[in-house]
Amino acid sequence: MTGVSNEGKGSANDKNDGCGEKETRKLAVMPTLGSEEDDTCVTFVINKEDHTLGNSLRYMVMKNPDTQFCGYSIPHPSEEKINFRIQTRGTPAKDVLKKGMKDLNSVCEHVLRTFETSINEHKRRNQSADIEPMDQSAG
């Protein structure tokens, strides 16, 4: 996560860099309509991601007992972004999202360690099988 933007003007995921070019943030907060700010009900825009992150992160956020609702959508198949909505029972949605990302990262690290351990064990077991015995009959 490179940064969270909560700008009320313009698009939720574009920022002008001062040179007329727009910089796209990885994570932004979609502005909400209405007069009252509610930090327990937020839609985040995650750029350059798809269902792989969306569904995994949704699953991890839903495991949090503070989460009342969590869902995501991809606005259009040609857009590389996710609208990720979180509603909580009082905890700020930003904190629930951070916890979900940390939990997902921990699961991914565990899977990677387990995979690497299994590969190393497989190589170790098969290393002796790769050495062929010398043919004693050739003379």
Side-chain angles (χ1 to χ4, degrees), residues 51-120:
H51 291 288
T52 304
L53 178 68
N55 197 37
S56 302
L57 186 57
R58 182 201 56 80
Y59 176 79
M60 296 308 288
V61 169
M62 282 303 297
K63 289 182 70 161
N64 187 331
D66 292 330
T67 302
Q68 185 174 24
F69 170 82
C70 181
Y72 77 96
S73 65
I74 296 181
H76 190 274
S78 67
E79 292 184 86
E80 292 182 313
K81 71 178 184 179
I82 298 171
N83 292 333
F84 197 86
R85 178 99 171 150
I86 298 175
Q87 288 177 226
T88 68
R89 294 180 173 90
T91 305
K94 182 177 76 171
D95 295 344
V96 171
L97 178 65
K98 283 182 184 179
K99 182 178 182 339
M101 288 182 170
K102 286 179 182 177
D103 292 348
L104 181 58
N105 190 48
S106 295
V107 168
C108 290
E109 287 176 357
H110 172 74
V111 169
L112 180 61
R113 280 192 310 271
T114 304
F115 177 74
E116 288 173 341
T117 301
S118 296
I119 290 293
N120 291 335

Side-chain angles (χ1 to χ4, degrees), residues 12-80:
N13 45 337
D14 292 332
K15 179 183 175 190
N16 193 326
D17 68 359
C19 298
E21 304 222 356
K22 288 186 177 180
E23 167 194 332
T24 303
R25 293 181 178 264
K26 184 71 172 178
L27 179 66
V29 176
M30 185 178 285
T32 56
L33 300 175
S35 59
E36 201 173 307
E37 289 291 319
D38 182 8
D39 64 348
T40 65
C41 186
V42 178
T43 300
F44 300 93
V45 178
I46 307 172
N47 290 295
K48 300 200 185 302
E49 293 296 343
D50 58 15
H51 291 288
T52 304
L53 178 68
N55 197 37
S56 302
L57 186 57
R58 182 201 56 80
Y59 176 79
M60 296 308 288
V61 169
M62 282 303 297
K63 289 182 70 161
N64 187 331
D66 292 330
T67 302
Q68 185 174 24
F69 170 82
C70 181
Y72 77 96
S73 65
I74 296 181
H76 190 274
S78 67
E79 292 184 86
E80 292 182 313

